[in-house]
Amino acid sequence: MIEARRLHILRAVADHRTVTAAAAALYLTPSAVSQQLTALEQETGHRLVERSAKGVRLTPAGEILLAHTNAVLAQLERAEAELAAYGSGEAGTVTVAAFATGIAQVVAPAVAQLARTAPGIRIRVQDAEGDASLPMVLDRQVDVAVAVEYRGAPPADDPRLTHAPLYAEPFDAVVPLHHRLAEAPEVPLAELAKDTWIGPYPGNPCHDVVVLACESAGFQPRLEHSSDDFRAVVALASADAGVALVPRSALRGMDLTGVVVRPVDGVAPTRRVFAAVRRGAEDHPLIRPVLTALGEAARM
């Protein structure tokens, strides 16, 4: 008989590629993870992982079991949801991980709405970049992720997750007050090819949006200044340190004294924001109201 907890460990190892990283995500020791993998191999009668100096990869038998693991764990999530519904599920805590502007845009309004409509649901919010929150959901560190589409992200049909689209927003060009394009009604990105750029660090989904937009305009941006805080990005632009692309919602309420904000000429680079939960958990009586409230906040 295969134990479900060992399937969680197999999936964590497949996701994180090393025993050490999987152990950290699951709050276990590396030796405990190795022992559970060995026990799982004994239960199945197959070698499931191959270890090397670069990490761990699944064998063909391990890949077969992983496909079933995703289905089994999703079904267990559904079972928990139905049991919670049976027991009313009117009170409990839901943990939401979201990036800063996502918190301001949809999470905070959803928290306010739930306080009125579902006072028994307590929301705990954690600030996490758009690429960090999805692994947190998969590792059961949080219940809901508000994330951004990015290169390498699990696709919408990933068997481990259920996606719920929230909103899409354009990036605007931010240039210093006396920039040569400050008077232009729209900024053609190609005209910024020789400028110094300010932007998020590699790994941040917004970094991908900026780089892909510039590549589509025919150049590689010369990113000399890096910050994941858009207030810092705008402050540097106001100091004439360079130009930037910034999500429109991040500019709300910000001091824009020393910069000019203009829409991008043509098709604007866009970030697409969605909520994600472990597949099967979307109908949990605590999680469903949270997803509903996030969707309603996104439409406001």
Side-chain angles (χ1 to χ4, degrees), residues 34 37 43 45 66-67 102 104 120 136 145 149 154 162 168 180 183 211-214 218 292 298:
S34 294
L37 285 175
E43 287 174 345
L66 179 63
M136 293 170 73
E149 290 182 3
T162 294
R180 65 187 182 281
E183 299 299 323
V211 172
L212 285 172
C214 293
T292 299

Side-chain angles (χ1 to χ4, degrees), residues 81-274:
E82 289 189 20
L83 287 171
Y86 178 77
S88 78
E90 295 179 355
T93 300
V94 176
T95 304
V96 180
F99 56 99
T101 51
I103 292 173
Q105 185 87 349
V106 293
V107 178
V111 169
Q113 177 183 327
L114 289 165
R116 298 188 301 271
T117 61
I121 300 178
R122 176 172 174 262
I123 306 296
R124 292 180 61 246
V125 179
Q126 296 186 20
D127 190 331
E129 288 300 332
D131 59 330
S133 57
L134 294 178
M136 293 170 73
V137 167
L138 290 171
D139 293 334
R140 303 181 70 85
Q141 297 172 8
V142 300
D143 302 302
V144 181
V146 174
V148 178
E149 290 182 3
Y150 61 94
R151 285 188 288 191
D157 60 353
D158 189 293
R160 302 168 298 172
L161 296 167
T162 294
H163 286 217
L166 293 177
Y167 64 92
E169 64 172 329
F171 281 58
D172 289 325
V174 177
V175 301
L177 193 60
H178 301 294
H179 191 273
R180 65 187 182 281
L181 296 177
E183 299 299 323
E186 296 181 333
V187 173
L189 285 185
E191 296 295 320
L192 302 176
K194 296 183 178 179
D195 283 79
T196 297
W197 279 74
I198 312 157
Y201 284 100
N204 186 315
C206 290
H207 174 90
D208 285 349
V209 174
V210 172
V211 172
L212 285 172
C214 293
E215 288 176 350
S216 296
F219 69 97
Q220 191 76 26
R222 185 158 52 91
L223 283 159
E224 291 196 4
H225 310 287
S226 298
S227 175
D228 288 334
D229 186 334
F230 286 115
R231 290 170 300 180
V233 170
V234 170
L236 286 168
S238 70
D240 205 17
V243 300
L245 289 174
V246 177
R248 189 165 291 173
S249 67
L251 295 168
R252 293 173 186 162
M254 198 180 290
D255 181 6
L256 303 174
T257 304
V259 298
V260 172
V261 178
R262 293 287 184 264
V264 172
D265 185 31
V267 179
T270 302
R271 72 171 171 183
R272 291 172 175 80
V273 181
F274 61 93

Side-chain angles (χ1 to χ4, degrees), residues 11-23 25-26 56 135 139 141:
R11 188 160 81 178
V13 169
D15 287 343
H16 294 282
R17 303 296 182 184
T18 71
V19 168
T20 301
L26 298 172
V56 175
D139 293 334
Q141 297 172 8

